[in-house]
Amino acid sequence: MDSGERRRVGLIYDKRMKKHFDLEEVKHPESADRIQKIWNKLKDSGIAKRCTVMGGKEAKDEHISLVHNRKHIDFIKSISSKEEMFWKEMAKKYNSVYFNQGSSEAAYISAGCVIEVAEKVAEGELDSAFAIVRPPGHHAEPNQPMGFCLFNNVAIATKYLLDKRADLGIKKILIVDWDVHHGNGTQKMFWKDPRVLFFSVHRHDFGTYYPCDEAGSHKMTGEGAGKGYNINVPWEHGGCGDADYLAVWDHVLIPVAKEFGPDIILISAGFDAAIGDPLGGCCVSPHGYAVMLNKLLEFAGGKIVMALEGGYDKVSIANSVQACMEVLLKQKPIIGSSEAYPFESSWRVIRAVRKTLSPFWQSLSERLPVKITSMSSPYIQVVSSDSEDEYNTFSNRVSQHLEMDIENVIQPFSDLKVNDDTGITSQASNNSHTWREELSKIDIWYATFGSNMKLSRFLCYIEGGQVEGMRKPCIGSLDKSKPKEIKWESFPHRLFFAREHTATWGPGGVAFLHPECNSDEKAYLCLYRITLEQFNDVLLQENTSSFDMNYPLFDMTDLQSIEERKCVPVEAVKNGWYHNVLYLGKENGIPILTMTCQLSDVDNFKSGKVGMCKPSKEYANTLIRGLVEGKQLSEEEATTYIQEAASRAL
């Protein structure tokens, strides 16, 4: 395709989709502002003027029924005619959805928009198109809504082209789902269909990341005639960026796409893997999305339809969509190497995917290339712990100079090498083994003052999982051995509650221990005797889950100096809320350590720069149960202790 050719690019948007919103949670991530911000960005940049702009129209039931059953269609259609009580009850029934009077219309328009542009691209009236739609669709299953999704927009459009517009000659469709969450609904709808190659790259975190099941595993390859036509690339953790995604493109998606030979490509274009997204915890840049899209333009004569899925940081999503539109319009050349070096864990996933799919795709049987540019994905904090605000943590750290930030965080990782026989080897992996072996021999007391006072809650950080009241599971530690001893002690420090929302517990403050000693104060702490290796894994989970642990966060040098220094702020996780390791003394000659905020954070709490908030009922009850089960206080005494800590000013 001539790069100088003016491409006919469609852009479809309808403000009526903004009528769908959460009546109870104003700050809900899937808000109407998402599509408004994108639309404004494209208008202000002049991109919209270069496109064929269209308004939306509602999808027909007969087309929606190609992938959804009658009961589901009737339910979505009836929502707007119901009352608020019904919407709330139905929202509780389903997984991560909300409803209001505008939901039915928005869902029908969202699906209709994707059908409209897919048909025009298939007909040749447009070369490519982008559908700025909401609610998103890829989680919606044949019989139920879920994950912010009501109708599965991309799946409906795909079946429409294959089953209703056979005259257009579209016989094979590639669906690329780069949303950070697995497209479980789309997978189910084409599980046995060899006409559709479904490719999803997503966070999986060993089944603990939403949708929190094994459907997103690389072992899920399809069934019957569709065996081999379902490809999942499940990241093991957050923090994956351009390097990881481009490696998957070059070594999985692009080779398979060449073999498959699609007639058109539909992209479930979620941008929640982008830098700054409050839910995704990854760090794909606008340039990264542009390169990924540009590689796909080489197929199907450039016939690509992009449909918005997730993406919840309004600055990041607008920048990412603009970068993609510039590719579709051939407005800017794509500069930069496609060679990239991902996390070691990402190479492990890529090797597993290639091995599993190699019986179906000859190109995946070949050995991976030896020469890959050594690049490491940067550390970016992700949603995983009490330390993280599900909606605001990322957006507060994304500057207006996003491209400069991206350039600053991508760094060479020159000591990594590729071994033809065993995959990745590195000095870094040897370091990981060495420090873990060393620190596994050192015991410390980990002193807990928050939800970890309850043993079953603390064991989530060791064994993985979650307890009642938690919205997110923990990954767990590498060494899953239980604490060798458990003790309780009181310390002259102030317990207080701050922040306003966390991913783990939802709305409400979480516990902090004032880092300064005060003889007038008394805080109850539960002490767990664990290894220094385990302490590092807990420290990681309290602050992030996207840091490659090739080196310890808190090493022997820190341990040897902390008695004199009293505290050691951990630079590698400095954006976490609990990155300050505090020394509280010794018990039987073993150091007592806890993790909390710094004094500068306390000043921000006092000034009101960062909010203070009482804990949620679920979170407070976990602390109370911990104190009662530890036989420190009666339930009444524990309740009073927590209430006083939450109500007193700093």
Side-chain angles (χ1 to χ4, degrees), residues 279-311:
L279 301 188
C282 290
C283 48
V284 179
S285 71
H287 175 76
Y289 283 116
V291 176
M292 288 153 59
L293 177 59
N294 193 58
K295 287 175 178 287
L296 293 174
L297 277 176
E298 299 304 314
F299 302 97
K303 291 182 177 180
I304 291 181
V305 176
M306 303 183 71
L308 185 66
E309 297 283 1

Side-chain angles (χ1 to χ4, degrees), residues 399-467:
S399 79
Q400 295 177 351
H401 306 288
L402 188 56
E403 292 182 4
M404 185 180 300
D405 290 345
I406 294 162
E407 185 176 346
N408 289 339
V409 297
I410 298 178
Q411 306 167 18
F413 205 7
S414 57
D415 59 350
L416 293 179
K417 301 175 182 178
V418 178
N419 181 293
D420 289 344
D421 298 320
T422 60
I424 305 300
T425 62
S426 69
Q427 183 63 42
S429 62
N430 292 333
N431 288 338
S432 176
H433 175 75
T434 301
W435 78 256
R436 286 189 176 277
E437 184 177 19
E438 178 186 9
L439 301 192
S440 67
K441 301 173 183 176
I442 307 299
D443 284 357
I444 60 98
W445 291 102
Y446 170 40
T448 65
F449 49 83
S451 60
N452 286 332
M453 292 189 295
K454 182 173 172 58
L455 177 59
S456 59
R457 163 64 179 103
F458 171 67
L459 289 178
C460 295
Y461 278 148
I462 300 298
E463 300 173 343
Q466 63 193 107
V467 296

Side-chain angles (χ1 to χ4, degrees), residues 203 205 209 236-240 280-281 343 379-385 388 473-475 537 539-549 573:
R203 277 188 65 178
D205 295 22
Y209 193 76
E236 294 180 359
H237 53 71
C240 296
F343 283 130
Y379 156 73
I380 295 290
Q381 186 179 352
V382 299
V383 176
S384 67
S385 70
E388 297 161 82
C474 299
I475 296 173
D537 286 337
L539 180 61
L540 177 79
Q541 293 175 80
E542 278 284 17
N543 291 283
T544 179
S545 66
S546 61
F547 184 86
D548 242 15
M549 292 288 278
V573 290

Side-chain angles (χ1 to χ4, degrees), residues 19 42 50 68 81 84 163-164 228 276 288 298 330 372 377 382 391 421 456 485 576 587 626 636:
K19 295 179 182 178
L42 299 183
R50 300 194 61 202
H68 291 291
S81 63
E84 186 171 342
D163 294 353
K164 295 295 184 180
E298 299 304 314
K330 295 283 184 178
I372 299 175
S377 295
V382 299
Y391 303 150
D421 298 320
S456 59
E485 290 184 73
E587 176 71 22
E636 183 178 354

